[in-house]
Amino acid sequence: MAKKAPQRAALPHWLLWLGTLATLYLLIVAIGVIGDGFKGLGKDTAQSLFDFATNPFIGLFVGILATAIIQSSSTTTTLVVTAVGAGALPVEVAVPMIMGANIGTSVTNTLASLGHIGNKAEFRRAFAASTVHDFFNLTAVAILMPLELLFQPIQRSAGWLAHQMYGTVLPEPGDADVIGMLTKPVVDLIGMNGLLGAIDGGVISAALTITLGIAAIFLTVHWLGKILQILMVGRAKEILEKSVGGHPVTALAAGAGVTAVVQSSSVTTSVMVPFAGSGALTTKQIYPLTLGANIGTTITALIAAMAVTGQGAELALQIALVHFLFNVYGVFIIYVLPFLRPVPLVCAEFLAKVATEHKPLALAWIVTVFLAIPALAILIHTQLT
């Protein structure tokens, strides 16, 4: 097993780039397969799959739990974008799900910090540097979700931006559906018009089609990240090492750029954990990089939106832009305003101090925030309704 990664790394770069293109193609096919499955269920039946998340707060918890379990906000947001495009999920419910995915994705680098638990000083530094990501995302949701429920600033601005882009910056699918033309034959072969549709042509076929599409998205996002890490992670580390210690804006830009390239905010933020543990970088230096990683990871949802065609295509683009704008607004509100900027830092350093003295608390934080609270909220809601 240990020899596989070096063997992949030894492959010619042209072959790895070819693999990147092939994986992107499969990702777009997977999105088409899910959309095909939702259409096969029919709008009413498909809508019922998300009935348990009609409450915005439950939508938030679904986003947290799903992302924490599958360890990929890209998969969660791609699925949400696809469901919105297929008419199976209203934008109002999708917005808090996207917010939840933002929280859920920060569990990965927090888990990575546990690798330093054997050394008290290292663990305190690493845990603080990783949980600053947790606290920023939690603070962003605490501020922006109530505003969104009252005034819909993110949904409205994303809708306006999607309308401006649709048919101008981006071609209307009916006019130039190049992606659809390239992927439709494969989607038709696999989905409701092909192999899976032959099972019963109804609900079972549609459910299997959606399940296969979800599994394919998870695998393609995972492998895309693996390939891009081999191609870019060496350069990424150099960029991060040079930029994080400099101006916060440079660190933020580096975090966004590297994450957009490697297609994983978890990679960007987790790479920094050993630097924090060793004392080479402080939590304050790593803080803006995590904000850039939040912005950079939104590229996956935008790619997914490009693959959605038909009447729901503009709505899919809108929800992808919601993901982007939520993170941008979060940076401007929390990091730019001097009185809010220290909040995630102070919280992370306090929790790290306590967790260093009571190490089970570190695991309790992860289990409670990312798994137990969301799962319990969803369970109570389903029992009451």
Side-chain angles (χ1 to χ4, degrees):
M1 293 294 291
K3 294 182 180 178
K4 288 186 178 179
Q7 286 172 354
R8 283 200 304 268
L11 291 172
H13 273 213
W14 67 265
L15 190 58
L16 291 171
W17 282 116
L18 191 63
T20 301
L21 292 174
T23 309
L24 275 171
Y25 176 79
L26 291 174
L27 172 62
I28 295 169
V29 167
I31 293 164
V33 167
I34 292 177
D36 194 44
F38 278 127
K39 289 173 185 174
L41 283 176
K43 187 172 181 180
D44 292 339
T45 309
Q47 178 68 56
S48 69
L49 294 176
F50 295 95
D51 278 350
F52 68 95
T54 51
N55 182 315
F57 291 99
I58 299 304
L60 175 74
F61 290 129
V62 168
I64 296 172
L65 187 62
T67 306
I69 290 172
I70 64 178
Q71 291 281 291
S72 174
S73 63
S74 298
T75 302
T76 307
T77 54
T78 299
L79 178 58
V80 170
V81 165
T82 308
V84 169
L89 184 65
V91 173
E92 293 78 11
V93 178
V95 172
M97 280 189 177
I98 293 291
M99 293 182 180
N102 237 58
I103 293 174
T105 195
S106 60
V107 71
T108 308
N109 60 317
T110 307
L111 285 169
S113 70
L114 298 182
H116 295 269
I117 203 164
N119 183 299
K120 197 171 183 178
E122 285 187 14
F123 177 61
R124 180 171 175 173
R125 290 191 294 261
F127 196 65
S130 60
T131 54
V132 75
H133 193 197
D134 303 0
F135 281 109
F136 176 84
N137 288 335
L138 288 166
T139 305
V141 169
I143 293 172
L144 286 169
M145 188 162 172
L147 290 174
E148 187 64 22
L149 292 175
L150 291 171
F151 308 111
Q152 297 85 45
I154 303 174
Q155 182 181 329
R156 290 174 186 273
S157 53
W160 178 86
L161 191 56
H163 186 69
Q164 301 306 309
M165 294 172 67
Y166 196 73
T168 54
V169 178
L170 299 176
E172 292 188 30
D175 296 333
D177 186 11
V178 177
I179 292 175
M181 288 188 289
L182 290 173
T183 58
K184 192 174 186 301
V186 181
V187 173
D188 286 345
L189 178 65
I190 297 170
M192 295 299 293
N193 296 323
L195 298 173
L196 293 174
I199 295 173
D200 77 335
V203 173
I204 294 174
S205 290
L208 288 173
T209 302
I210 293 168
T211 303
L212 177 64
I214 293 170
I217 284 176
F218 179 77
L219 289 172
T220 51
V221 168
H222 174 77
W223 282 106
L224 184 61
K226 292 288 185 185
I227 295 169
L228 288 172
Q229 283 175 52
I230 294 167
L231 286 168
M232 300 300 297
V233 78
R235 297 174 193 172
K237 282 184 179 178
E238 290 177 17
I239 294 169
L240 294 174
E241 286 174 32
K242 290 177 181 177
S243 62
V244 173
H247 195 278
V249 175
T250 307
L252 192 148
V258 168
T259 303
V261 170
V262 301
Q263 289 280 290
S264 173
S265 60
S266 299
V267 170
T268 308
T269 54
S270 297
V271 160
M272 288 295 100
V273 170
F275 290 100
S278 67
L281 293 171
T282 65
T283 301
K284 187 176 181 179
Q285 289 172 318
I286 290 173
Y287 180 18
L289 177 132
T290 63
L291 312 190
N294 277 352
I295 294 171
T297 197
T298 62
I299 190 68
T300 308
L302 288 168
I303 291 172
M306 307 298 177
V308 177
T309 60
Q311 292 182 345
E314 189 172 336
L315 288 176
L317 178 59
Q318 180 184 359
I319 201 63
L321 288 167
V322 162
H323 192 201
F324 172 73
L325 290 176
F326 168 70
N327 285 295
V328 171
Y329 290 165
V331 170
F332 275 98
I333 292 172
I334 299 169
Y335 195 74
V336 173
L337 296 178
F339 64 93
L340 285 177
R341 187 183 307 148
V343 171
L345 271 175
V346 171
C347 292
E349 288 173 351
F350 174 76
L351 180 62
K353 181 180 179 181
V354 176
T356 302
E357 300 301 326
H358 308 280
K359 290 179 180 176
L361 183 63
L363 185 60
W365 168 261
I366 294 169
V367 172
T368 303
V369 172
F370 298 103
L371 299 174
I373 291 176
L376 186 61
I378 294 167
L379 179 63
I380 292 172
H381 177 73
T382 53
Q383 292 300 313
L384 292 178
T385 55

